Amino acid sequence: SYDGMVTDFVPTEDFDGTIVVPQYVSVDNKDGTYSAIKVTSINSNAFASVKESLKTIVLPVYVTDIPDSAFEGFSKLEEVISFGATTIGAKAFKDCVSLKEVYLPKKLFSIQEGAFGGCSSLGDICLPDNLQRIYSGAFENCTSLQTINIPGKVRVICSNTFSKSLALSAKRGASLTSSFVIPVSVVTSCGILLSGLKNIFILSSFP
């Protein structure tokens, strides 16, 4: 019986690079009836067949976990839209060198180690208000990253989270190059957050 997991994807000849994972799939009950089953997870290798051609991935609201390395090295991936992720796994989008647009849901809780590391085309990203944990190297070597907000609920930012992302500028004081803003809510820092940045601001809240 279907357990709600996307295990693989077989592209058609006219595949245009976009995958929209449905919220439900229809399952034949073998008695003349069908059931609508929620799609709740994806296998870490589910989209390996389109690693060299996937451009846009849309994940539905019931997929709450983006697995470790699920899209690592997808060199053509440009856009990620998630409606339900609470966790983005380690290296989930690592080295997606064409990735430019990332839309994350309000319920996102944590971004794991190296999740967006090496996404060298990512210019900015808006992190949702409920995010609380950003782990080591999550945005390391994102060399085009200009702007990133750290929400007020964040409690943990780990080592080298933004290392080698030297294009970063502050959310406030954008005229200062290579600067960064961290809310006062951060209570745990696992080592060096940044490498090569000139200014770090500690703010109680964002406008």
Side-chain angles (χ1 to χ4, degrees):
S1 62
Y2 180 66
D3 63 359
M5 173 179 280
V6 177
T7 56
D8 61 2
F9 175 79
V10 179
T12 59
E13 289 185 3
D14 60 349
F15 177 63
D16 65 357
T18 297
I19 295 177
V20 178
V21 179
Q23 292 191 45
Y24 295 88
V25 295
S26 180
V27 175
D28 188 349
N29 296 322
K30 308 299 184 183
D31 61 0
T33 64
Y34 290 82
S35 296
I37 306 297
K38 291 178 182 178
V39 176
T40 56
S41 62
I42 59 174
N43 185 282
S44 60
N45 295 313
F47 303 106
S49 62
V50 291
K51 185 172 184 177
E52 303 302 326
S53 57
L54 182 65
K55 295 180 180 179
T56 297
I57 182 71
V58 181
L59 299 173
V61 66
Y62 301 118
V63 174
T64 58
D65 180 25
I66 300 177
D68 296 353
S69 299
F71 300 95
E72 182 177 1
F74 280 51
S75 60
K76 299 294 198 316
L77 184 62
E78 299 176 355
E79 182 180 40
V80 173
I81 301 172
S82 171
F83 289 103
T86 57
T87 299
I88 298 177
K91 301 181 181 179
F93 299 100
K94 187 177 188 299
D95 294 330
C96 290
V97 295
S98 298
L99 185 61
K100 296 178 181 179
E101 302 288 341
V102 178
Y103 302 91
L104 302 172
K106 292 181 179 180
K107 63 173 72 175
L108 184 67
F109 177 82
S110 69
I111 299 175
Q112 299 296 312
E113 294 87 349
F116 292 96
C119 291
S120 54
S121 296
L122 190 62
D124 60 77
I125 187 169
C126 183
L127 301 178
D129 290 343
N130 289 319
L131 183 67
Q132 295 190 30
R133 298 173 182 271
I134 308 173
Y135 288 96
S136 178
F139 295 95
E140 185 174 14
N141 207 27
C142 292
T143 52
S144 297
L145 196 59
Q146 297 287 335
T147 304
I148 188 168
N149 67 304
I150 304 298
K153 291 184 179 180
V154 168
R155 295 295 182 269
V156 175
I157 302 178
C158 282
S159 61
N160 297 316
T161 300
F162 303 97
S163 177
K164 302 178 184 177
S165 297
L166 299 183
L168 275 170
S169 61
K171 193 177 193 304
R172 288 182 178 174
S175 60
L176 295 171
T177 60
S178 299
S179 303
F180 199 69
V181 182
I182 298 175
V184 75
S185 62
V186 175
V187 296
T188 301
S189 170
C190 313
I192 299 172
L193 301 180
L194 310 122
S195 173
L197 299 187
K198 296 177 182 179
N199 299 284
I200 295 177
F201 300 92
I202 309 297
L203 300 179
S204 59
S205 63
F206 289 118

